[in-house]
Amino acid sequence: MNPSAPARVLSVIPPMTQLNTPYPSTAYLTGFLRSRGIVAEQVDLALDLVLGLLSPDGLRDIRQCAEAMTGRRPAATRHFLHHFERYLATIGPAVAFLQGRDTSIAHRICSRSFLPEGARFKSLDVYIDEDGGDPLAWAFGALGVQDRARHLATLYLNDLADIIRETVDPRFEFVRYAESLAMSQPSFDPLAEALAAPPTLIDRELEKRALAAVDREQPDLVLVSVPFPGSVYAAFRIAQAIKAERPGVITVLGGGYVNTELRELAEPRVFDFFDYVTLDAGERPLLALLEHLREGAPRLNLVRSFARIDGQVRYFNAQTPDLPFDEVGTPTWDGLPLDRYLSLLDMLNPMHRLWSDGRWNKLTVAHGCYWKKCSFCDVSLDYISRYDAASATTLVDRIDAIVAETGQTGFHFVDEAAPPKALKAMADELLRRNRAISWWGNIRFEKSFTPELCEQLADSGCIAVSGGLEVASDRLLKLMKKGVSVEQVARVTRAFTDAGILVHAYLMYGFPTQTVQDTVDALEYVRQLFAEGCIQSGYFHRFACTVHSPVGLHPEEYGIRLRPLPFRGFGRNDVAFDDPTGVDHARLGKALNKALYNYMHGIGLDEDVRAWFDDRVPKPRVGRHFIARALAGRDGG
């Protein structure tokens, strides 16, 4: 790196993250680096790759792959080849519609005779009424043409994703590309084998776009941020292409996946692709790295950084304080094509659609979690343990700057749990400045969220909140150290609902010592919460034990035994365990998700919860009117 020239940094979003809005890590890094006088740009290669595939030229390339297949072609591929001209004619209008650039085509999409409908459209059959009426009328009514068309166009893109998976790369997903190669992988071997294999069409397209970005921006450093396992393979492909064609460019790997899975990294082959790997918040490690590369500062001054020295992986961590959250700068989306993101409508539930529909400015109220006690959470890691909030003035200054830059007033606060005190201060400041925005984010269902505060947050622009109810059992909530009770959750969620704010509950099953009885009782609580209008949306996920959580660190306190976790220099995060209850949680999970899907559509709310289970399960111990009594302030028993 030339010390006499300004440093040039390119931050990259690799496939696959989100298609409706940019993942915020590069926006934060770019804004911070520019605030320090560093020339910084960013590129979303996830969006760029998908838009290349979902184009007439991309479809022609996919057709070539399909025609080169030997043996009997899968059904989706046969449908694609048979209707190829129709796909060619409709791909441009469908993408333009999802980008909001051509809304008039919605009427043709809704006609059901415009798009070539493959297997994904069969999901609509379950909604056809007895008279053969409109299968989507229950969701969109007589109006809602734009939403109806967005849902149909999303099914159309999902059909194409199936075709890409059949013809080009079986690992392809719009959000979880080649995820199995990186998720909790103790060895680098699976990734190394995939990266050594002949490139697929997707690999070639990704490499071409990565090199074009490097040629355009001429960076000294390329920062690749990998938030999820489903973006790791593509991140390494990007670095592989840069190292092959532009070996003088320094490549750096960081992001949420690295922060959780690669904390014990000892695999030298990783550094054939990346010169450095950094952990946790990136601002301080990047400043230290630039000082080392440009100003000759000793390597020992690096912060939370891995490097390969004489063939061995070494970790450097000078004890330099992190920057206060007030000083990390304002995220910027400059350089990202905000008008090209795709507003998708996968799920018709109004809360679920927020994740994939619309372009939200992602922002953080505070770094870390103010509670940081939950036993299933990575409380030992920086992104949870180091709590640092910005002042309300700083936060609303950032909101104002982002609205001025993007022209859009929707915000998704991506905190682990936004603190109620900070949210109230933000609402006060927004009111003082007479600002009109819309926002949503994750919270804890704690008693600080009074009906009065919920009303104030709604007035400030809050449209939805999500929070962890987890296992709806007071015994297990206490074991989890959630700091809430089921009755408290009922009152808080009802306060949000009464204020006109949608409520989504994160739910969990399979927590240590959870019995079948606990699971049935939890579902009864959930049924009542839906029936009483406390929550409108939810999602059950299977508990996963991580090595960084209190459960993983002290399993004996939770009545379980961890299984040996192999480690061969690469990933280490999820760990299997033996629970003495011996419950088949996977089988129970099917019933829980079936029930929840129906509850979200207002179906089965008066039925006995045991009807959802395939096997005989015990009767709920929860009173049928527990939640109603709790809301009325009476004993819920």
Side-chain angles (χ1 to χ4, degrees), residues 287-347:
L287 287 183
L289 180 58
L290 287 168
E291 289 171 2
H292 167 62
L293 295 173
R294 291 179 49 75
E295 302 170 20
R299 189 184 286 121
L300 290 174
N301 287 5
L302 293 177
V303 176
R304 297 192 300 273
S305 298
F306 292 98
R308 183 171 60 188
I309 310 298
D310 298 328
Q312 300 296 315
V313 178
R314 287 187 57 188
Y315 182 61
F316 300 90
N317 188 18
Q319 297 304 305
T320 308
D322 276 293
L323 280 81
F325 190 61
D326 257 335
E327 298 178 15
V328 297
T330 299
T332 178
W333 281 264
D334 178 51
L336 298 176
L338 300 184
D339 60 340
R340 299 183 71 207
Y341 286 85
L342 302 167
S343 283
L344 305 177
L345 188 46
D346 278 299
M347 297 190 69

Side-chain angles (χ1 to χ4, degrees), residues 137-151:
W138 69 273
F140 302 115
L143 298 175
V145 170
Q146 295 294 317
D147 278 354
R148 188 188 306 238
R150 189 174 292 116
H151 182 57

Side-chain angles (χ1 to χ4, degrees), residues 472-592:
S473 156
D474 284 338
R475 177 184 75 83
L476 291 171
L477 285 171
K478 186 176 181 180
L479 186 62
M480 289 178 173
K481 300 179 183 175
K482 280 292 293 184
V484 300
S485 67
V486 175
E487 286 193 22
Q488 179 180 312
V489 169
R491 295 186 183 111
V492 170
T493 53
R494 182 60 178 270
F496 276 111
T497 297
D498 287 347
I501 297 169
L502 289 169
V503 181
H504 173 87
Y506 290 111
L507 301 160
M508 183 186 294
Y509 65 99
F511 193 75
T513 74
Q514 183 178 1
T515 64
V516 174
Q517 181 72 66
D518 289 328
T519 303
V520 174
D521 291 348
L523 186 57
E524 175 60 22
Y525 282 129
V526 170
R527 181 195 69 80
Q528 293 184 34
L529 288 167
F530 273 100
E532 293 297 329
C534 297
I535 60 178
Q536 294 75 50
S537 176
Y539 181 75
F540 268 109
H541 64 94
R542 176 77 178 267
F543 167 74
C545 181
T546 71
V547 296
H548 313 294
S549 69
V551 176
L553 293 169
H554 307 288
E556 68 283 352
E557 296 180 11
Y558 300 88
I560 62 171
R561 178 178 298 173
L562 301 184
R563 296 178 186 172
L565 182 64
F567 180 68
R568 292 195 285 161
F570 193 56
R572 188 170 184 265
N573 190 44
D574 291 2
V575 55
F577 62 92
D578 293 313
D579 188 332
T581 60
V583 175
D584 185 353
H585 293 294
R587 191 167 177 83
L588 294 176
K590 294 178 182 178
L592 296 175

Side-chain angles (χ1 to χ4, degrees), residues 572-629:
R572 188 170 184 265
N573 190 44
D574 291 2
V575 55
F577 62 92
D578 293 313
D579 188 332
T581 60
V583 175
D584 185 353
H585 293 294
R587 191 167 177 83
L588 294 176
K590 294 178 182 178
L592 296 175
N593 284 302
K594 185 195 302 182
L596 197 60
Y597 180 84
N598 282 275
Y599 293 164
M600 287 192 292
H601 294 97
I603 300 170
L605 291 172
D606 295 324
E607 294 183 15
D608 190 317
V609 296
R610 289 175 290 179
W612 301 110
F613 295 89
D614 293 330
D615 301 321
R616 185 179 180 86
V617 295
K619 180 181 179 180
R621 295 171 300 189
V622 181
R624 288 280 292 179
H625 304 290
F626 180 96
I627 297 298
R629 289 177 177 274

Side-chain angles (χ1 to χ4, degrees), residues 63-335:
R63 179 177 64 171
Q64 284 187 348
C65 294
E67 291 176 338
M69 295 175 70
T70 58
R72 181 172 173 78
R73 299 185 181 104
T77 301
R78 296 198 305 272
H79 179 271
F80 172 70
L81 292 174
H82 182 71
H83 297 281
F84 180 74
E85 292 302 322
R86 173 57 69 173
Y87 276 104
L88 207 58
T90 54
I91 188 62
V95 168
F97 168 72
L98 291 172
Q99 292 172 327
R101 295 187 293 110
D102 184 6
T103 57
S104 63
I105 201 70
H107 296 276
R108 291 201 67 189
I109 293 173
C110 287
S111 72
R112 301 292 302 276
S113 62
F114 178 62
L115 298 177
E117 298 188 356
R120 292 294 186 127
F121 286 79
K122 292 179 181 177
S123 64
L124 300 179
D125 294 345
V126 301
Y127 304 126
I128 295 178
D129 59 36
E130 293 179 358
D131 299 323
D134 182 356
L136 292 177
W138 69 273
F140 302 115
L143 298 175
V145 170
Q146 295 294 317
D147 278 354
R148 188 188 306 238
R150 189 174 292 116
H151 182 57
L152 294 169
T154 301
L155 295 176
Y156 167 78
L157 294 196
N158 288 337
D159 270 339
L160 286 169
D162 292 341
I163 293 158
I164 294 170
R165 202 156 36 250
E166 289 180 357
T167 61
V168 179
D169 189 338
R171 304 164 301 193
F172 181 80
E173 296 277 357
F174 280 142
V175 292
R176 293 186 175 90
Y177 182 32
E179 184 179 60
S180 63
L181 294 176
M183 180 180 282
S184 298
Q185 278 286 359
S187 170
F188 188 64
D189 288 347
L191 261 175
E193 291 170 9
L195 294 164
T200 66
L201 168 66
I202 295 171
D203 295 331
R204 294 194 299 271
E205 288 296 314
L206 179 59
E207 291 167 0
K208 179 175 71 176
R209 285 166 166 74
L211 292 174
V214 170
D215 287 344
R216 183 174 63 250
E217 305 299 343
Q218 294 294 306
D220 302 302
L221 267 77
V222 172
L223 314 178
V224 186
S225 178
V226 288
F228 315 118
S231 53
V232 173
Y233 169 74
F236 275 82
R237 273 288 182 188
I238 290 166
Q240 184 182 52
I242 293 172
K243 284 300 176 192
E245 299 294 330
R246 310 288 186 273
V249 174
I250 303 295
T251 52
V252 185
L253 179 68
Y257 167 84
V258 177
N259 299 340
T260 53
E261 302 247 6
L262 302 187
R263 302 194 74 86
E264 300 173 41
L265 183 63
E267 173 56 76
R269 289 176 293 174
V270 168
F271 298 89
D272 293 338
F273 305 85
F274 291 98
D275 297 286
Y276 299 91
V277 177
T278 67
L279 297 178
D280 302 326
E283 290 85 2
R284 181 60 74 188
L286 285 176
L287 287 183
L289 180 58
L290 287 168
E291 289 171 2
H292 167 62
L293 295 173
R294 291 179 49 75
E295 302 170 20
R299 189 184 286 121
L300 290 174
N301 287 5
L302 293 177
V303 176
R304 297 192 300 273
S305 298
F306 292 98
R308 183 171 60 188
I309 310 298
D310 298 328
Q312 300 296 315
V313 178
R314 287 187 57 188
Y315 182 61
F316 300 90
N317 188 18
Q319 297 304 305
T320 308
D322 276 293
L323 280 81
F325 190 61
D326 257 335
E327 298 178 15
V328 297
T330 299
T332 178
W333 281 264
D334 178 51

